[in-house]
Amino acid sequence: MSLRAPLPTPTAVSRRFWEAARDGRLELPCCRACRLTFHYPRVLCPRCWSQDLGWRVVSGRGTVATFTVLHRAVHPAWQSRAPYVTALVDLEEGPRLLSNVVGIDPRDARVGLAVEVVFEVEGEATLPRFVPRT
Amino acid sequence: MADFGTTPEQLARIAVVERANAQRNPDAVFHGQPISVDDVLGSRMIAEPLHLYEAVMPCAGGAAFVLTNARQAAAMPHRPVLLLGAGEKVTHRALSQAPDLTTTPLRAAIQDAYAMAGVTVRDIDLFSLYDCYTIMVGVTLEDAGLCPKGRFGPFVEEHDFSAAGDVPLNPHGGQLACGQADLAGGMSHIVEAVRQLRGEAGERQVRDAGVALVTGNGATLSEECALVLGRAA
């Protein structure tokens, strides 16, 4: 049985994030009014509600705020990858992203682990994931 | 666990005490099947640190109650239960946007419900708490004011959560032991509180139950509500 893993559906608001990832850049929305860099992409600044928004390339460096190791995959198509690490990553620029930590024995995952972004191709999408920073 | 040193055994104990309570509820999916901490920790790991027995069993079922005003209720055949207070709080949807990973919106919702009812946690005779996973109960014990933030681990070791205990918690066994009938699962916490406050809970009756706290949770520990229910005079 082969199951297709679900992939992101870029929207008018999020397309730039996914296209940047395809080109190997982590690009996040930022507010021109109050200077907040944020994630996920949306039409209003979540702090000052300005609609005057732009994008900026961020470092891709961050730390693991919290994580879980999934032994039962959320989607059957991912079960062959289990156990895998799903984490909330705090970027140096402030925003918090939900992603995976890869390139690591799941038993070595830790809160506070220093990580950096990598870009993994899956089907038609490129997904930002994180690896331990050396 | 990283912040407060909570142990897997302390989390597992929540599933154990709810399962023990369910042994007095013949309608519970897991009636007749008590478990130990070792059973919980020996069950399959699902999403660390939660094992299979720390997650609800999906099941079929339904729940209903009749909501009316006190005047009409007085003319009805059943003894009414009063809605004394209610609170609701939504803070986020995506987990990455949660303002705090160890305090839930229930903290504010419960405070609002207490304030509306004019009660404090010390007035609560029965805790009918939403329990999709053991961690949900642990954090709610803290957010309800039963113990300080980060201390639910020692709290669950030191207290008796049976109907006759000092902190009666989900005497019916909660969803962890009754099963979760999808959206009706949350309603079961209201149904149990109403039965207890009417004095109709049979062998799991909490003695002199006068005031109950009921909680509900949805999505990613993000959309939560609290009710304070009281026995009619």
Side-chain angles (χ1 to χ4, degrees), chain A residues 16-125:
Chain A
R16 175 129 175 193
F17 174 84
W18 297 113
E19 288 181 354
R22 189 191 59 206
D23 295 338
R25 293 190 313 277
L26 190 60
E27 242 181 88
L28 300 185
C30 60
C31 174
R32 292 197 184 98
C34 78
R35 316 306 299 171
L36 180 73
T37 301
F38 61 92
H39 185 73
Y40 51 96
R42 63 203 98 173
V43 296
L44 291 174
C45 170
R47 184 162 68 188
C48 76
W49 294 20
S50 169
Q51 291 176 274
D52 186 12
L53 306 178
W55 291 79
R56 65 178 283 208
V57 177
V58 294
S59 66
R61 288 189 300 272
T63 55
V64 170
T66 190
F67 71 95
T68 181
V69 180
L70 279 300
H71 293 253
R72 188 187 191 282
V74 175
H75 189 281
W78 298 333
Q79 190 59 46
S80 62
R81 306 177 193 188
Y84 61 89
V85 180
T86 293
L88 290 174
V89 174
D90 286 339
L91 294 176
E92 285 182 356
E93 292 81 2
R96 178 172 281 181
L97 277 72
L98 184 69
S99 185
N100 300 115
V101 178
V102 296
I104 185 177
D105 184 323
R107 287 170 295 193
D108 294 332
R110 295 284 179 275
V111 170
L113 183 73
V115 293
E116 63 188 355
V117 73
V118 291
F119 296 95
E120 297 197 337
V121 176
E122 285 209 19
E124 304 105 61

Side-chain angles (χ1 to χ4, degrees), chain B residues 204-230:
Chain B
R204 64 174 189 271
Q205 180 65 47
V206 175
R207 225 171 82 186
D208 297 328
V211 182
L213 174 68
V214 180
T215 59
N217 161 71
T220 55
L221 298 185
S222 54
E223 304 168 14
E224 304 188 314
C225 58
L227 304 176
V228 174
L229 303 181

Side-chain angles (χ1 to χ4, degrees), chain B:
Chain B
M1 295 171 106
D3 287 354
F4 304 118
T6 310
T7 67
E9 289 76 12
Q10 290 167 336
L11 270 173
R13 185 165 149 72
I14 293 170
V16 172
V17 300
E18 292 213 35
R19 193 72 81 88
N21 285 352
Q23 304 318 308
R24 291 169 183 260
N25 178 7
D27 293 331
V29 163
F30 291 110
H31 182 256
Q33 298 178 59
I35 49 174
S36 66
V37 166
D38 285 345
D39 290 334
V40 176
L41 298 181
S43 68
R44 201 150 51 82
M45 185 64 86
I46 303 297
E48 293 184 20
L50 300 176
H51 303 78
L52 182 67
Y53 290 176
E54 298 182 74
V56 285
M57 166 77 89
C59 69
F65 56 84
V66 175
L67 182 65
T68 184
N69 62 53
R71 187 176 50 80
Q72 292 210 29
M76 290 182 170
H78 300 288
R79 185 175 170 185
V81 161
L82 301 177
L83 172 57
L84 302 177
E88 186 175 30
K89 178 95 172 174
V90 180
T91 51
H92 61 280
R93 183 78 196 197
L95 191 59
S96 64
Q97 310 299 302
D100 190 314
L101 293 174
T102 55
T103 296
T104 75
L106 267 180
R107 187 177 179 82
I110 291 170
Q111 287 306 320
D112 285 350
Y114 285 167
M116 188 186 294
V119 301
T120 72
V121 66
R122 288 185 297 281
D123 299 312
I124 305 295
D125 303 312
L126 164 70
F127 294 86
S128 193
L129 306 184
Y130 193 88
D131 60 338
C132 43
Y133 305 96
T134 50
I135 183 64
M136 181 77 227
V137 178
V139 174
T140 304
L141 293 173
E142 297 172 355
D143 287 347
L146 282 163
C147 60
K149 183 50 58 188
R151 299 295 292 167
F152 82 76
F155 186 84
V156 299
E157 292 175 332
E158 292 160 5
H159 292 272
D160 178 350
F161 298 95
S162 71
D166 57 333
V167 186
L169 167 71
N170 293 338
H172 59 312
Q175 298 176 79
L176 281 169
C178 289
Q180 180 175 59
D182 202 71
L183 295 176
M187 295 267 282
S188 69
H189 294 279
I190 297 177
V191 170
E192 175 66 6
V194 168
R195 286 176 173 160
Q196 290 283 348
L197 294 171
R198 280 180 174 167
E200 296 173 352
E203 63 167 328
R204 64 174 189 271
Q205 180 65 47
V206 175
R207 225 171 82 186
D208 297 328
V211 182
L213 174 68
V214 180
T215 59
N217 161 71
T220 55
L221 298 185
S222 54
E223 304 168 14
E224 304 188 314
C225 58
L227 304 176
V228 174
L229 303 181
R231 184 174 53 195

